[in-house]
Amino acid sequence: QVQLVESGGGSVQAGGSLRLSCAVSVSSANDYCLGWFRQAPGKEREGVAAVDSGGVTAYANSVKGRFTISADTAKNTVYLQLTSLEPEDTAMYYCAAVVCGSWYVLQPKYSYWGQGTQVTVS
């Protein structure tokens, strides 16, 4: 089982930055891959960034160069640094985890999801 708790969302002006955190609690020895997704009202959930157990990362084209995913294994936390934020980035952001053998990178085929943290850019 995996538990995920996001934090760090908020309201910022365009051009601003935020850092989202996801505290990861794992009760098995599996290798897990992690991802950040977002969903705006009336839109489908979109993969934003993902990282595998070896540190390999992937990004959606819409955020490449602006967002950075990183993992601190000592703190069991994965981060999403958001910079140069645009109003189009406004959404609920979710952290997700899946056993790496079933990883589809930026597709929302993840087994475990956090409750989300809201990011609003004006």
Side-chain angles (χ1 to χ4, degrees), residues 34-117:
L34 300 165
W36 283 98
F37 292 77
R38 66 185 181 187
Q39 189 167 19
K43 294 189 176 182
E44 293 187 354
R45 190 164 293 190
E46 172 192 20
V48 174
V51 59
D52 74 3
S53 57
V56 176
T57 58
Y59 297 92
N61 287 334
S62 59
V63 306
K64 203 171 291 184
R66 299 190 299 123
F67 292 6
T68 304
I69 188 171
S70 61
D72 186 334
T73 54
K75 295 183 178 180
N76 290 331
T77 301
V78 61
Y79 302 99
L80 186 66
Q81 180 70 47
L82 290 66
T83 63
S84 301
L85 282 162
E86 304 167 352
E88 292 74 22
D89 296 316
T90 295
M92 184 71 79
Y93 282 70
Y94 298 91
C95 178
V98 67
V99 174
C100 286
S102 300
W103 190 41
Y104 286 85
V105 194
L106 296 179
Q107 295 184 45
K109 297 179 180 180
Y110 282 63
S111 303
Y112 305 97
W113 294 84
Q115 81 290 349
T117 186

